Amino acid sequence: MQQQKPALALYQPDIAGNTGTLIRLSACLGTQLHIIAPAGFRHDDKALRRAGMDYAALASVVRHDDFAAFAQMASAQGRRIILASTRGNIPHTDFAFTAGDLLLLGRESSGVPDDVHERATARIVIPMHQDARSINQAVSGAIILSEALRQLSAFPTAG
């Protein structure tokens, strides 16, 4: 059985291109991508297809009807929900990731509601310039997933 890896999760994503980019990232790194509905675009959206290119067949995408279904799955599998947030209190590089972590990214337009924020096991932040508002969702996902995989020595082997 393959070792479980951390996985990205998108809370009601707004921008198809970001989701497509994260589908491609997840496929290339051998991780799952969880999408929590509703999304702000259709699954056959042209931007989603363009960004994900032909990686959709390689990707492991799990769709959830809502946050309650996602949280229930996490609980049933004993997985932590780690929220990336500008309101986070732990720099992502100081956080100790585990193999089953679900790395939750909020909506591009509004993040996550307070009840989702409170439900997270931990809230991490990517340190950035004090005058900056936020980092693009796809870039944030890549930064955090890469740090989690680095800590766990869980990158795919080359070749």
Side-chain angles (χ1 to χ4, degrees), residues 2 5 8 19-33 51-61 145 156:
Q2 184 181 3
K5 292 183 179 183
L8 289 173
T19 299
T21 298
L22 292 170
I23 288 171
R24 183 176 180 163
L25 176 73
S26 295
C28 289
L29 297 181
T31 62
Q32 284 187 325
L33 177 67
M53 295 175 59
D54 57 346
Y55 290 87
L58 295 174
S60 174
V61 178
L145 181 60

Side-chain angles (χ1 to χ4, degrees), residues 2-155:
Q2 184 181 3
Q3 176 189 5
Q4 189 175 37
K5 292 183 179 183
L8 289 173
L10 308 180
Y11 179 84
Q12 301 179 357
D14 293 324
I15 301 173
N18 284 338
T19 299
T21 298
L22 292 170
I23 288 171
R24 183 176 180 163
L25 176 73
S26 295
C28 289
L29 297 181
T31 62
Q32 284 187 325
L33 177 67
H34 295 261
I35 299 176
I36 302 164
F41 51 86
R42 295 187 345 224
H43 295 293
D44 62 348
D45 187 286
K46 183 178 179 181
L48 180 65
R49 288 193 318 270
R50 182 174 39 247
M53 295 175 59
D54 57 346
Y55 290 87
L58 295 174
S60 174
V61 178
V62 181
R63 299 185 193 287
H64 304 274
D65 290 336
D66 53 30
F67 184 76
F70 171 76
Q72 195 285 324
M73 175 276 307
S75 178
Q77 294 180 8
R79 299 174 80 176
R80 302 186 306 178
I81 298 173
I82 310 304
L83 176 63
S85 172
T86 56
R87 297 188 299 164
N89 55 356
I90 304 169
H92 74 291
T93 51
D94 292 345
F95 186 77
F97 293 97
T98 63
D101 285 344
L102 296 162
L103 312 174
L104 181 61
L105 304 171
R107 291 185 80 137
E108 294 94 338
S109 62
S110 59
V112 299
D114 288 341
D115 63 316
V116 172
H117 205 276
E118 293 304 315
R119 178 69 207 284
T121 307
R123 290 154 229 49
I124 61 174
V125 63
I126 300 170
M128 60 185 166
H129 191 276
Q130 67 182 4
D131 294 331
R133 189 172 37 112
S134 64
I135 298 172
N136 170 278
Q137 183 196 54
V139 174
S140 295
I143 290 169
I144 293 167
L145 181 60
S146 292
E147 175 61 16
L149 293 173
R150 183 197 67 78
Q151 285 184 20
L152 299 167
S153 300
F155 278 102

